[in-house]
Amino acid sequence: MDPKNLHHWKKTTGERSLEFALKRLKKERPTATILDYQRDNLDKALSLVKSRRRALDGGANFGIMSWHLSQCFNHVVAWEIDPDIRDCLTLNMKNFGCHNVTIESCGLGQKEAQVGLVRHAKTFANYVNPDQIKGNLPIRAIDSYGFDDVDFIKLDCEGYEALILEGGKKTISRCRPVILMEQKTSSVECQSGQPLSLLHTEMWMEKIQSSQEWSAPLRFFVVGMQVWDLAL
């Protein structure tokens, strides 16, 4: 099985997001493969990483980022909240020989809970609605795992990133990982009309900047923005 070949990736029935992404890539670089999807952002973020022990992949989807991380970290832990997509992720990691990737049977969040998922035709746009009280999909906080060797965190969770960060603040404080996360302006929106991801991230950043718990710089590479090097 060749991970560069899009047809070798297991996907849910009717899913064409990867196909569309590859078409866009090929318009700019005719020789591009599916492994080049968001590769520039990943490489920039990884250039900040000094140790390659454990990486966390939140919102792993079909596993492209998990595959990349498996090639340069000792161990990768991946979360994909959608059970159907998670089955594909599991098969992809197995088929491509990514034996150092552990796939958790839940999603990530601020705390342990059951949530609902808003699904779209394009699976890249699926998201957890934080205002939906009832649901049957489990989430856990990063801190609940007790990791002490996390060097890198990637989050692509359609507006839920800041809540996941809140659930991982002890791990982040302890391990000081570089964090790569997506910042959308069209994800879930709150009552103020601001994007939930942007609003919560700014609140979280302001909170940790004023906290005495943080004694060393945090480095965030936010897709579409810049590296945040916080000398706290």
Side-chain angles (χ1 to χ4, degrees), residues 8-145:
H8 290 179
W9 285 83
K10 176 65 175 177
K11 302 176 289 296
T12 51
T13 302
E15 167 55 46
R16 301 186 65 188
S17 295
L18 293 180
E19 178 184 337
F20 295 146
L22 182 56
K23 285 183 178 179
R24 289 193 298 268
L25 283 171
K26 284 186 172 294
K27 287 182 179 180
E28 299 179 4
R29 288 178 288 172
T31 60
T33 74
I34 194 57
L35 291 182
D36 293 312
Y37 177 64
Q38 294 189 340
R39 179 66 184 273
D40 291 345
N41 292 322
L42 179 61
D43 287 346
K44 290 175 183 177
L46 289 179
S47 70
L48 300 172
V49 180
K50 296 180 179 179
S51 184
R52 302 289 178 95
R53 295 171 299 173
R54 186 186 301 270
L56 309 184
D57 185 359
N61 201 259
F62 298 116
I64 293 175
M65 284 289 186
S66 293
W67 182 91
H68 281 299
L69 295 174
S70 76
Q71 306 304 299
C72 55
F73 284 86
N74 294 336
H75 193 75
V76 179
V77 185
W79 289 265
E80 172 50 54
I81 192 170
D82 189 308
D84 294 333
I85 299 176
R86 188 167 62 239
D87 288 344
C88 295
L89 169 65
T90 300
L91 188 58
N92 287 330
M93 294 301 97
K94 178 180 178 181
N95 288 343
F96 298 136
C98 300
H99 304 300
N100 59 338
V101 177
T102 298
I103 300 169
E104 293 292 318
S105 57
C106 62
L108 287 175
Q110 185 177 3
K111 59 184 179 181
E112 184 172 347
Q114 300 282 325
V115 299
L117 187 66
V118 180
R119 291 181 169 86
H120 289 270
K122 295 181 180 180
T123 60
F124 286 174
N126 291 350
Y127 67 90
V128 174
N129 186 346
D131 297 322
Q132 185 173 337
I133 299 175
K134 296 181 179 180
N136 61 357
L137 299 176
I139 58 173
R140 284 181 63 178
I142 289 175
D143 284 345
S144 70
Y145 291 89

Side-chain angles (χ1 to χ4, degrees), residues 41-57 69 73 142 149-155 165 171-181 217-222 226-229:
N41 292 322
L42 179 61
D43 287 346
K44 290 175 183 177
L46 289 179
S47 70
L48 300 172
V49 180
K50 296 180 179 179
S51 184
R52 302 289 178 95
R53 295 171 299 173
R54 186 186 301 270
L56 309 184
D57 185 359
L69 295 174
F73 284 86
I142 289 175
D149 59 351
V150 177
D151 294 311
F152 184 75
I153 299 175
K154 166 259 172 182
L155 298 176
L165 291 175
T171 303
I172 295 169
S173 180
R174 181 168 58 248
C175 300
R176 321 306 298 185
V178 171
I179 301 174
L180 168 66
M181 71 179 194
L218 284 177
R219 288 167 297 178
F220 286 73
F221 184 84
V222 183
Q226 70 281 331
V227 176
W228 291 346
D229 196 349

Side-chain angles (χ1 to χ4, degrees), residues 153-169:
I153 299 175
K154 166 259 172 182
L155 298 176
D156 186 354
C157 300
E158 300 300 315
Y160 213 67
E161 291 85 357
L163 298 177
I164 294 172
L165 291 175
E166 186 67 23
K169 58 186 179 182

